[in-house]
Amino acid sequence: MTRFLLLATLLATPALAQDVTRHRIPNSDFPIAAAVEVPAGLTMVHLSGAVPPRADREASATSPTAWGGDTRAQTAGVLRSIEASLRRLDLTMGDVVRMQVFLVGDPARGGRMDFDGFMEAYREHFGTPAQPNLPVRSVMQVAGLVNPGWLVEIEVSAVRGR
């Protein structure tokens, strides 16, 4: 009887809760995982790079203003777009296990990427009480993206349970 109850409990528990292991960075509260283990049998879903949605149709399409403005605002738009794409696939931000972030140097910051602005928007989606799951993540400054008005592009990979 005990084996039956254990099996019934495992089947009733969402696969992600029982299978994906997220290792925190030791002695750190920085909101990324040091490592994520995804066991065999779960489906990896890779989303193409997402860029900011058009925010101002009056502004030139090659201006950061057209895409939300600064890095923080553009990141917020990109993350909302990613969240909507995940939702269409019956996934959530909590299912994201890997993220690659490409930041263009902000002209208003002397050509340096605005990591703090990126982090402000990122922290609204990851490491919160409502969504504590953290992905592994890389952030890099790139020379440019396809549209010179874009300051941010983000790729994510998520895991779908059984």
Side-chain angles (χ1 to χ4, degrees), residues 25-112:
I25 298 172
N27 305 312
S28 174
D29 63 354
F30 196 69
I32 64 171
V36 175
E37 293 180 55
V38 178
L42 299 181
T43 301
M44 292 293 297
V45 179
H46 305 281
L47 271 61
S48 289
V51 295
R54 186 78 184 252
D56 182 349
R57 298 231 172 253
E58 300 298 315
S60 166
T62 59
S63 161
T65 304
W67 307 99
D70 63 10
T71 299
R72 191 221 169 281
Q74 287 195 16
T75 300
V78 171
L79 292 173
R80 283 191 305 272
S81 294
I82 289 171
E83 191 169 39
S85 294
L86 290 168
R87 195 172 24 251
R88 285 190 297 275
L89 297 168
D90 293 323
L91 295 165
T92 70
M93 292 296 236
D95 298 317
V96 172
V97 294
R98 184 173 183 275
M99 177 183 285
Q100 282 192 296
V101 180
F102 306 94
L103 299 178
V104 174
D106 186 339
R109 297 177 54 85
R112 291 182 319 274

Side-chain angles (χ1 to χ4, degrees), residues 107-126:
R109 297 177 54 85
R112 291 182 319 274
M113 70 177 180
D114 183 5
F115 183 74
D116 292 337
F118 161 76
M119 284 301 295
E120 286 178 29
Y122 173 87
R123 287 179 191 269
E124 294 174 8
H125 295 271
F126 295 95

